[in-house]
Amino acid sequence: MKSLPYFCRGEVIKGFGRGSKELGIPTANLPDSVVDNLPADLNTGIYYGWACVGAGDIHKMVMSIGWNPFYKNIKKSMEAHLIHTFKEDFYGEILSVVLVGYVRPERSFSSLEALILAITGDIEEAKVKLELPEHLELRGDNFFTSAPSGSSAAPPTAPSASQTILNGH
Ligand code: ADP
Ligand code: MG
């Protein structure tokens, strides 16, 4: 996909209460402003990449980009599961993400077990693929060191401004 790698950041918002956390796979949802900036050629489906919360450590992650049933399937959503155990939720923090590779298209599953199995497989694939030298390199991108630290320090550029620049719009 020619839009990869794709950098973006935005505030973590409340999701749609689909119980991801109860499945052991919480997903941090990004706002519509970030979703609406996605390039047209970026297919829906599951991606892997790197992510950090505020100015925190960079972690491996998988992201689902798909159609949100809440809006009758007319609105795309972006949800990231960071492969790390956090002590606390981070709603309202700035999540910085680089999408590095594509795993698979979206699909529905006949059972919860099948869904969880697929996501577990996605996570394992992400862990392995992200060790490739060209993917590890993106972990060190300036994008992450310039990540705003959320509400504390005053960032030189507002998150929305840097997102706009980085996305080339
Ligand atoms: P929601 O429907 O509000 O998105 P989820 O059940 O998907 O609820 O949980 C997402 C929230 O869990 C995130 O917004 C974040 O605050 C928290 N969280 C804790 N650990 C993680 C993680 N490893 N990856 C993503 N989000 C996490
Ligand atoms: Mg979620």
Side-chain angles (χ1 to χ4, degrees):
M1 235 172 285
K2 69 176 191 316
S3 293
L4 295 180
Y6 182 75
F7 295 87
C8 59
R9 63 169 56 110
E11 188 181 333
V12 176
I13 59 161
K14 260 280 176 203
F16 316 100
R18 280 183 288 198
S20 319
K21 205 177 284 172
E22 286 69 31
L23 304 182
I25 314 160
T27 59
N29 293 55
L30 286 171
D32 289 351
S33 56
V34 179
V35 181
D36 293 342
N37 266 328
L38 284 173
D41 81 317
L42 207 83
N43 298 333
T44 57
I46 313 299
Y47 290 80
Y48 59 86
W50 301 102
C52 74
V53 177
D57 294 340
I58 302 162
H59 302 287
K60 291 177 175 177
M61 64 108 212
V62 289
M63 176 174 275
S64 151
I65 299 180
W67 302 102
N68 170 12
F70 190 79
Y71 292 102
K72 300 193 171 75
N73 298 333
I74 53 164
K75 188 76 205 160
K76 252 189 234 172
S77 68
M78 296 170 74
E79 311 184 13
H81 172 69
L82 278 65
I83 305 173
H84 176 76
T85 304
F86 289 86
K87 288 199 193 79
E88 291 174 341
D89 286 353
F90 45 85
Y91 290 110
E93 301 258 6
I94 300 296
L95 180 71
S96 298
V97 166
V98 57
L99 302 179
V100 166
Y102 188 68
V103 185
R104 62 173 173 88
E106 286 184 285
R107 50 162 290 202
S108 59
F109 294 91
S110 50
S111 69
L112 205 57
E113 288 72 26
L115 170 66
I116 294 174
L117 206 63
I119 298 172
T120 310
D122 298 337
I123 291 171
E124 287 314 307
E125 183 172 338
K127 282 183 187 168
V128 173
K129 292 259 175 74
L130 285 164
E131 289 300 323
L132 293 168
E134 67 264 36
H135 294 343
L136 279 172
E137 203 179 311
L138 285 162
R139 188 186 192 286
D141 195 278
N142 283 341
F143 174 73
F144 288 114
T145 46
S146 68
S149 52
S151 51
S152 46
T157 50
S160 57
S162 54
Q163 173 207 325
T164 307
I165 294 160
L166 284 155
N167 291 350
H169 290 285

mmCIF file with all atom_site columns, all heavy atoms in Angstrom, residues 138-161:
data_model
loop_
_atom_site.group_PDB
_atom_site.id
_atom_site.type_symbol
_atom_site.label_atom_id
_atom_site.label_alt_id
_atom_site.label_comp_id
_atom_site.label_asym_id
_atom_site.label_entity_id
_atom_site.label_seq_id
_atom_site.pdbx_PDB_ins_code
_atom_site.Cartn_x
_atom_site.Cartn_y
_atom_site.Cartn_z
_atom_site.occupancy
_atom_site.B_iso_or_equiv
_atom_site.pdbx_formal_charge
_atom_site.auth_seq_id
_atom_site.auth_comp_id
_atom_site.auth_asym_id
_atom_site.auth_atom_id
_atom_site.pdbx_PDB_model_num
ATOM 1   N N   . LEU A 1 138 ? 11.467 2.584  12.013 1.00 0.00 ? 138 LEU A N   1
ATOM 2   C CA  . LEU A 1 138 ? 10.371 3.561  12.172 1.00 0.00 ? 138 LEU A CA  1
ATOM 3   C C   . LEU A 1 138 ? 10.077 3.848  13.646 1.00 0.00 ? 138 LEU A C   1
ATOM 4   O O   . LEU A 1 138 ? 9.556  4.913  13.993 1.00 0.00 ? 138 LEU A O   1
ATOM 5   C CB  . LEU A 1 138 ? 9.110  3.051  11.482 1.00 0.00 ? 138 LEU A CB  1
ATOM 6   C CG  . LEU A 1 138 ? 9.150  3.149  9.961  1.00 0.00 ? 138 LEU A CG  1
ATOM 7   C CD1 . LEU A 1 138 ? 8.108  2.250  9.321  1.00 0.00 ? 138 LEU A CD1 1
ATOM 8   C CD2 . LEU A 1 138 ? 8.951  4.595  9.522  1.00 0.00 ? 138 LEU A CD2 1
ATOM 9   N N   . ARG A 1 139 ? 10.457 2.901  14.477 1.00 0.00 ? 139 ARG A N   1
ATOM 10  C CA  . ARG A 1 139 ? 10.286 3.096  15.922 1.00 0.00 ? 139 ARG A CA  1
ATOM 11  C C   . ARG A 1 139 ? 11.101 4.306  16.391 1.00 0.00 ? 139 ARG A C   1
ATOM 12  O O   . ARG A 1 139 ? 10.728 4.992  17.338 1.00 0.00 ? 139 ARG A O   1
ATOM 13  C CB  . ARG A 1 139 ? 10.770 1.823  16.623 1.00 0.00 ? 139 ARG A CB  1
ATOM 14  C CG  . ARG A 1 139 ? 10.502 1.757  18.078 1.00 0.00 ? 139 ARG A CG  1
ATOM 15  C CD  . ARG A 1 139 ? 11.169 0.511  18.651 1.00 0.00 ? 139 ARG A CD  1
ATOM 16  N NE  . ARG A 1 139 ? 10.717 0.253  20.000 1.00 0.00 ? 139 ARG A NE  1
ATOM 17  C CZ  . ARG A 1 139 ? 11.093 0.944  21.059 1.00 0.00 ? 139 ARG A CZ  1
ATOM 18  N NH1 . ARG A 1 139 ? 11.963 1.924  20.918 1.00 0.00 ? 139 ARG A NH1 1
ATOM 19  N NH2 . ARG A 1 139 ? 10.608 0.644  22.248 1.00 0.00 ? 139 ARG A NH2 1
ATOM 20  N N   . GLY A 1 140 ? 12.219 4.538  15.739 1.00 0.00 ? 140 GLY A N   1
ATOM 21  C CA  . GLY A 1 140 ? 13.105 5.636  16.127 1.00 0.00 ? 140 GLY A CA  1
ATOM 22  C C   . GLY A 1 140 ? 12.802 6.938  15.406 1.00 0.00 ? 140 GLY A C   1
ATOM 23  O O   . GLY A 1 140 ? 13.568 7.890  15.501 1.00 0.00 ? 140 GLY A O   1
ATOM 24  N N   . ASP A 1 141 ? 11.673 6.992  14.704 1.00 0.00 ? 141 ASP A N   1
ATOM 25  C CA  . ASP A 1 141 ? 11.353 8.193  13.929 1.00 0.00 ? 141 ASP A CA  1
ATOM 26  C C   . ASP A 1 141 ? 11.148 9.412  14.841 1.00 0.00 ? 141 ASP A C   1
ATOM 27  O O   . ASP A 1 141 ? 10.630 9.286  15.946 1.00 0.00 ? 141 ASP A O   1
ATOM 28  C CB  . ASP A 1 141 ? 10.083 7.941  13.097 1.00 0.00 ? 141 ASP A CB  1
ATOM 29  C CG  . ASP A 1 141 ? 9.904  8.974  12.008 1.00 0.00 ? 141 ASP A CG  1
ATOM 30  O OD1 . ASP A 1 141 ? 9.395  10.087 12.299 1.00 0.00 ? 141 ASP A OD1 1
ATOM 31  O OD2 . ASP A 1 141 ? 10.295 8.677  10.867 1.00 0.00 ? 141 ASP A OD2 1
ATOM 32  N N   . ASN A 1 142 ? 11.572 10.568 14.334 1.00 0.00 ? 142 ASN A N   1
ATOM 33  C CA  . ASN A 1 142 ? 11.395 11.844 15.056 1.00 0.00 ? 142 ASN A CA  1
ATOM 34  C C   . ASN A 1 142 ? 9.952  12.091 15.458 1.00 0.00 ? 142 ASN A C   1
ATOM 35  O O   . ASN A 1 142 ? 9.687  12.794 16.424 1.00 0.00 ? 142 ASN A O   1
ATOM 36  C CB  . ASN A 1 142 ? 11.798 13.022 14.154 1.00 0.00 ? 142 ASN A CB  1
ATOM 37  C CG  . ASN A 1 142 ? 13.292 13.146 14.064 1.00 0.00 ? 142 ASN A CG  1
ATOM 38  O OD1 . ASN A 1 142 ? 14.006 12.613 14.910 1.00 0.00 ? 142 ASN A OD1 1
ATOM 39  N ND2 . ASN A 1 142 ? 13.761 13.833 13.040 1.00 0.00 ? 142 ASN A ND2 1
ATOM 40  N N   . PHE A 1 143 ? 9.052  11.539 14.694 1.00 0.00 ? 143 PHE A N   1
ATOM 41  C CA  . PHE A 1 143 ? 7.619  11.690 14.984 1.00 0.00 ? 143 PHE A CA  1
ATOM 42  C C   . PHE A 1 143 ? 7.323  11.375 16.442 1.00 0.00 ? 143 PHE A C   1
ATOM 43  O O   . PHE A 1 143 ? 6.555  12.067 17.093 1.00 0.00 ? 143 PHE A O   1
ATOM 44  C CB  . PHE A 1 143 ? 6.833  10.746 14.071 1.00 0.00 ? 143 PHE A CB  1
ATOM 45  C CG  . PHE A 1 143 ? 5.356  10.691 14.358 1.00 0.00 ? 143 PHE A CG  1
ATOM 46  C CD1 . PHE A 1 143 ? 4.527  11.749 14.009 1.00 0.00 ? 143 PHE A CD1 1
ATOM 47  C CD2 . PHE A 1 143 ? 4.792  9.579  14.958 1.00 0.00 ? 143 PHE A CD2 1
ATOM 48  C CE1 . PHE A 1 143 ? 3.154  11.692 14.247 1.00 0.00 ? 143 PHE A CE1 1
ATOM 49  C CE2 . PHE A 1 143 ? 3.423  9.513  15.200 1.00 0.00 ? 143 PHE A CE2 1
ATOM 50  C CZ  . PHE A 1 143 ? 2.615  10.573 14.848 1.00 0.00 ? 143 PHE A CZ  1
ATOM 51  N N   . PHE A 1 144 ? 7.959  10.315 16.965 1.00 0.00 ? 144 PHE A N   1
ATOM 52  C CA  . PHE A 1 144 ? 7.675  9.917  18.343 1.00 0.00 ? 144 PHE A CA  1
ATOM 53  C C   . PHE A 1 144 ? 8.375  10.815 19.358 1.00 0.00 ? 144 PHE A C   1
ATOM 54  O O   . PHE A 1 144 ? 7.801  11.141 20.387 1.00 0.00 ? 144 PHE A O   1
ATOM 55  C CB  . PHE A 1 144 ? 8.054  8.453  18.569 1.00 0.00 ? 144 PHE A CB  1
ATOM 56  C CG  . PHE A 1 144 ? 7.108  7.504  17.900 1.00 0.00 ? 144 PHE A CG  1
ATOM 57  C CD1 . PHE A 1 144 ? 7.518  6.706  16.855 1.00 0.00 ? 144 PHE A CD1 1
ATOM 58  C CD2 . PHE A 1 144 ? 5.791  7.419  18.313 1.00 0.00 ? 144 PHE A CD2 1
ATOM 59  C CE1 . PHE A 1 144 ? 6.639  5.837  16.229 1.00 0.00 ? 144 PHE A CE1 1
ATOM 60  C CE2 . PHE A 1 144 ? 4.894  6.563  17.689 1.00 0.00 ? 144 PHE A CE2 1
ATOM 61  C CZ  . PHE A 1 144 ? 5.328  5.766  16.647 1.00 0.00 ? 144 PHE A CZ  1
ATOM 62  N N   . THR A 1 145 ? 9.586  11.246 19.070 1.00 0.00 ? 145 THR A N   1
ATOM 63  C CA  . THR A 1 145 ? 10.284 12.103 20.033 1.00 0.00 ? 145 THR A CA  1
ATOM 64  C C   . THR A 1 145 ? 9.641  13.481 20.074 1.00 0.00 ? 145 THR A C   1
ATOM 65  O O   . THR A 1 145 ? 9.753  14.193 21.059 1.00 0.00 ? 145 THR A O   1
ATOM 66  C CB  . THR A 1 145 ? 11.785 12.198 19.698 1.00 0.00 ? 145 THR A CB  1
ATOM 67  O OG1 . THR A 1 145 ? 11.921 12.436 18.300 1.00 0.00 ? 145 THR A OG1 1
ATOM 68  C CG2 . THR A 1 145 ? 12.510 10.924 20.078 1.00 0.00 ? 145 THR A CG2 1
ATOM 69  N N   . SER A 1 146 ? 8.920  13.843 19.012 1.00 0.00 ? 146 SER A N   1
ATOM 70  C CA  . SER A 1 146 ? 8.252  15.141 19.002 1.00 0.00 ? 146 SER A CA  1
ATOM 71  C C   . SER A 1 146 ? 6.814  15.026 19.505 1.00 0.00 ? 146 SER A C   1
ATOM 72  O O   . SER A 1 146 ? 6.045  15.967 19.405 1.00 0.00 ? 146 SER A O   1
ATOM 73  C CB  . SER A 1 146 ? 8.236  15.724 17.585 1.00 0.00 ? 146 SER A CB  1
ATOM 74  O OG  . SER A 1 146 ? 7.397  14.944 16.754 1.00 0.00 ? 146 SER A OG  1
ATOM 75  N N   . ALA A 1 147 ? 6.473  13.835 20.028 1.00 0.00 ? 147 ALA A N   1
ATOM 76  C CA  . ALA A 1 147 ? 5.103  13.615 20.480 1.00 0.00 ? 147 ALA A CA  1
ATOM 77  C C   . ALA A 1 147 ? 4.748  14.559 21.618 1.00 0.00 ? 147 ALA A C   1
ATOM 78  O O   . ALA A 1 147 ? 5.528  14.718 22.555 1.00 0.00 ? 147 ALA A O   1
ATOM 79  C CB  . ALA A 1 147 ? 4.918  12.170 20.942 1.00 0.00 ? 147 ALA A CB  1
ATOM 80  N N   . PRO A 1 148 ? 3.592  15.214 21.556 1.00 0.00 ? 148 PRO A N   1
ATOM 81  C CA  . PRO A 1 148 ? 3.180  16.082 22.647 1.00 0.00 ? 148 PRO A CA  1
ATOM 82  C C   . PRO A 1 148 ? 2.912  15.260 23.896 1.00 0.00 ? 148 PRO A C   1
ATOM 83  O O   . PRO A 1 148 ? 2.486  14.110 23.799 1.00 0.00 ? 148 PRO A O   1
ATOM 84  C CB  . PRO A 1 148 ? 1.900  16.750 22.130 1.00 0.00 ? 148 PRO A CB  1
ATOM 85  C CG  . PRO A 1 148 ? 1.399  15.857 21.059 1.00 0.00 ? 148 PRO A CG  1
ATOM 86  C CD  . PRO A 1 148 ? 2.586  15.116 20.503 1.00 0.00 ? 148 PRO A CD  1
ATOM 87  N N   . SER A 1 149 ? 3.142  15.854 25.071 1.00 0.00 ? 149 SER A N   1
ATOM 88  C CA  . SER A 1 149 ? 3.002  15.087 26.304 1.00 0.00 ? 149 SER A CA  1
ATOM 89  C C   . SER A 1 149 ? 1.623  15.258 26.921 1.00 0.00 ? 149 SER A C   1
ATOM 90  O O   . SER A 1 149 ? 1.452  15.131 28.112 1.00 0.00 ? 149 SER A O   1
ATOM 91  C CB  . SER A 1 149 ? 4.084  15.505 27.292 1.00 0.00 ? 149 SER A CB  1
ATOM 92  O OG  . SER A 1 149 ? 4.056  16.906 27.431 1.00 0.00 ? 149 SER A OG  1
ATOM 93  N N   . GLY A 1 150 ? 0.645  15.603 26.129 1.00 0.00 ? 150 GLY A N   1
ATOM 94  C CA  . GLY A 1 150 ? -0.716 15.703 26.637 1.00 0.00 ? 150 GLY A CA  1
ATOM 95  C C   . GLY A 1 150 ? -0.956 17.016 27.332 1.00 0.00 ? 150 GLY A C   1
ATOM 96  O O   . GLY A 1 150 ? -0.552 18.068 26.835 1.00 0.00 ? 150 GLY A O   1
ATOM 97  N N   . SER A 1 151 ? -1.566 16.974 28.494 1.00 0.00 ? 151 SER A N   1
ATOM 98  C CA  . SER A 1 151 ? -2.005 18.205 29.134 1.00 0.00 ? 151 SER A CA  1
ATOM 99  C C   . SER A 1 151 ? -0.884 18.939 29.868 1.00 0.00 ? 151 SER A C   1
ATOM 100 O O   . SER A 1 151 ? -0.961 20.137 30.082 1.00 0.00 ? 151 SER A O   1
ATOM 101 C CB  . SER A 1 151 ? -3.123 17.875 30.122 1.00 0.00 ? 151 SER A CB  1
ATOM 102 O OG  . SER A 1 151 ? -2.702 16.826 30.963 1.00 0.00 ? 151 SER A OG  1
ATOM 103 N N   . SER A 1 152 ? 0.192  18.260 30.254 1.00 0.00 ? 152 SER A N   1
ATOM 104 C CA  . SER A 1 152 ? 1.220  18.881 31.100 1.00 0.00 ? 152 SER A CA  1
ATOM 105 C C   . SER A 1 152 ? 2.038  19.963 30.375 1.00 0.00 ? 152 SER A C   1
ATOM 106 O O   . SER A 1 152 ? 1.649  21.125 30.346 1.00 0.00 ? 152 SER A O   1
ATOM 107 C CB  . SER A 1 152 ? 2.127  17.813 31.703 1.00 0.00 ? 152 SER A CB  1
ATOM 108 O OG  . SER A 1 152 ? 2.521  16.887 30.722 1.00 0.00 ? 152 SER A OG  1
ATOM 109 N N   . ALA A 1 153 ? 3.143  19.582 29.748 1.00 0.00 ? 153 ALA A N   1
ATOM 110 C CA  . ALA A 1 153 ? 3.993  20.584 29.097 1.00 0.00 ? 153 ALA A CA  1
ATOM 111 C C   . ALA A 1 153 ? 3.260  21.235 27.921 1.00 0.00 ? 153 ALA A C   1
ATOM 112 O O   . ALA A 1 153 ? 2.434  20.609 27.267 1.00 0.00 ? 153 ALA A O   1
ATOM 113 C CB  . ALA A 1 153 ? 5.260  19.923 28.596 1.00 0.00 ? 153 ALA A CB  1
ATOM 114 N N   . ALA A 1 154 ? 3.570  22.497 27.699 1.00 0.00 ? 154 ALA A N   1
ATOM 115 C CA  . ALA A 1 154 ? 2.959  23.192 26.555 1.00 0.00 ? 154 ALA A CA  1
ATOM 116 C C   . ALA A 1 154 ? 3.713  22.840 25.277 1.00 0.00 ? 154 ALA A C   1
ATOM 117 O O   . ALA A 1 154 ? 4.865  23.218 25.108 1.00 0.00 ? 154 ALA A O   1
ATOM 118 C CB  . ALA A 1 154 ? 3.009  24.697 26.786 1.00 0.00 ? 154 ALA A CB  1
ATOM 119 N N   . PRO A 1 155 ? 3.094  22.079 24.400 1.00 0.00 ? 155 PRO A N   1
ATOM 120 C CA  . PRO A 1 155 ? 3.791  21.691 23.177 1.00 0.00 ? 155 PRO A CA  1
ATOM 121 C C   . PRO A 1 155 ? 3.924  22.875 22.225 1.00 0.00 ? 155 PRO A C   1
ATOM 122 O O   . PRO A 1 155 ? 3.023  23.720 22.179 1.00 0.00 ? 155 PRO A O   1
ATOM 123 C CB  . PRO A 1 155 ? 2.883  20.611 22.574 1.00 0.00 ? 155 PRO A CB  1
ATOM 124 C CG  . PRO A 1 155 ? 1.540  20.870 23.146 1.00 0.00 ? 155 PRO A CG  1
ATOM 125 C CD  . PRO A 1 155 ? 1.720  21.598 24.432 1.00 0.00 ? 155 PRO A CD  1
ATOM 126 N N   . PRO A 1 156 ? 5.028  22.965 21.464 1.00 0.00 ? 156 PRO A N   1
ATOM 127 C CA  . PRO A 1 156 ? 5.197  24.062 20.534 1.00 0.00 ? 156 PRO A CA  1
ATOM 128 C C   . PRO A 1 156 ? 4.141  24.065 19.427 1.00 0.00 ? 156 PRO A C   1
ATOM 129 O O   . PRO A 1 156 ? 3.779  25.108 18.915 1.00 0.00 ? 156 PRO A O   1
ATOM 130 C CB  . PRO A 1 156 ? 6.596  23.835 19.945 1.00 0.00 ? 156 PRO A CB  1
ATOM 131 C CG  . PRO A 1 156 ? 6.944  22.419 20.256 1.00 0.00 ? 156 PRO A CG  1
ATOM 132 C CD  . PRO A 1 156 ? 6.134  22.019 21.443 1.00 0.00 ? 156 PRO A CD  1
ATOM 133 N N   . THR A 1 157 ? 3.670  22.879 19.086 1.00 0.00 ? 157 THR A N   1
ATOM 134 C CA  . THR A 1 157 ? 2.608  22.817 18.085 1.00 0.00 ? 157 THR A CA  1
ATOM 135 C C   . THR A 1 157 ? 1.448  22.024 18.665 1.00 0.00 ? 157 THR A C   1
ATOM 136 O O   . THR A 1 157 ? 1.665  21.020 19.347 1.00 0.00 ? 157 THR A O   1
ATOM 137 C CB  . THR A 1 157 ? 3.078  22.077 16.809 1.00 0.00 ? 157 THR A CB  1
ATOM 138 O OG1 . THR A 1 157 ? 3.667  20.842 17.198 1.00 0.00 ? 157 THR A OG1 1
ATOM 139 C CG2 . THR A 1 157 ? 4.086  22.888 16.026 1.00 0.00 ? 157 THR A CG2 1
ATOM 140 N N   . ALA A 1 158 ? 0.254  22.484 18.431 1.00 0.00 ? 158 ALA A N   1
ATOM 141 C CA  . ALA A 1 158 ? -0.924 21.753 18.904 1.00 0.00 ? 158 ALA A CA  1
ATOM 142 C C   . ALA A 1 158 ? -0.990 20.413 18.183 1.00 0.00 ? 158 ALA A C   1
ATOM 143 O O   . ALA A 1 158 ? -0.552 20.307 17.036 1.00 0.00 ? 158 ALA A O   1
ATOM 144 C CB  . ALA A 1 158 ? -2.187 22.553 18.612 1.00 0.00 ? 158 ALA A CB  1
ATOM 145 N N   . PRO A 1 159 ? -1.498 19.363 18.856 1.00 0.00 ? 159 PRO A N   1
ATOM 146 C CA  . PRO A 1 159 ? -1.575 18.039 18.227 1.00 0.00 ? 159 PRO A CA  1
ATOM 147 C C   . PRO A 1 159 ? -2.243 18.063 16.861 1.00 0.00 ? 159 PRO A C   1
ATOM 148 O O   . PRO A 1 159 ? -1.769 17.461 15.917 1.00 0.00 ? 159 PRO A O   1
ATOM 149 C CB  . PRO A 1 159 ? -2.421 17.237 19.216 1.00 0.00 ? 159 PRO A CB  1
ATOM 150 C CG  . PRO A 1 159 ? -2.306 17.944 20.506 1.00 0.00 ? 159 PRO A CG  1
ATOM 151 C CD  . PRO A 1 159 ? -2.017 19.385 20.200 1.00 0.00 ? 159 PRO A CD  1
ATOM 152 N N   . SER A 1 160 ? -3.330 18.829 16.760 1.00 0.00 ? 160 SER A N   1
ATOM 153 C CA  . SER A 1 160 ? -4.059 18.831 15.490 1.00 0.00 ? 160 SER A CA  1
ATOM 154 C C   . SER A 1 160 ? -3.205 19.450 14.391 1.00 0.00 ? 160 SER A C   1
ATOM 155 O O   . SER A 1 160 ? -3.235 18.999 13.252 1.00 0.00 ? 160 SER A O   1
ATOM 156 C CB  . SER A 1 160 ? -5.372 19.585 15.632 1.00 0.00 ? 160 SER A CB  1
ATOM 157 O OG  . SER A 1 160 ? -5.115 20.887 16.080 1.00 0.00 ? 160 SER A OG  1
ATOM 158 N N   . ALA A 1 161 ? -2.395 20.471 14.769 1.00 0.00 ? 161 ALA A N   1
ATOM 159 C CA  . ALA A 1 161 ? -1.552 21.127 13.766 1.00 0.00 ? 161 ALA A CA  1
ATOM 160 C C   . ALA A 1 161 ? -0.474 20.171 13.272 1.00 0.00 ? 161 ALA A C   1
ATOM 161 O O   . ALA A 1 161 ? -0.279 20.012 12.070 1.00 0.00 ? 161 ALA A O   1
ATOM 162 C CB  . ALA A 1 161 ? -0.916 22.364 14.355 1.00 0.00 ? 161 ALA A CB  1
#
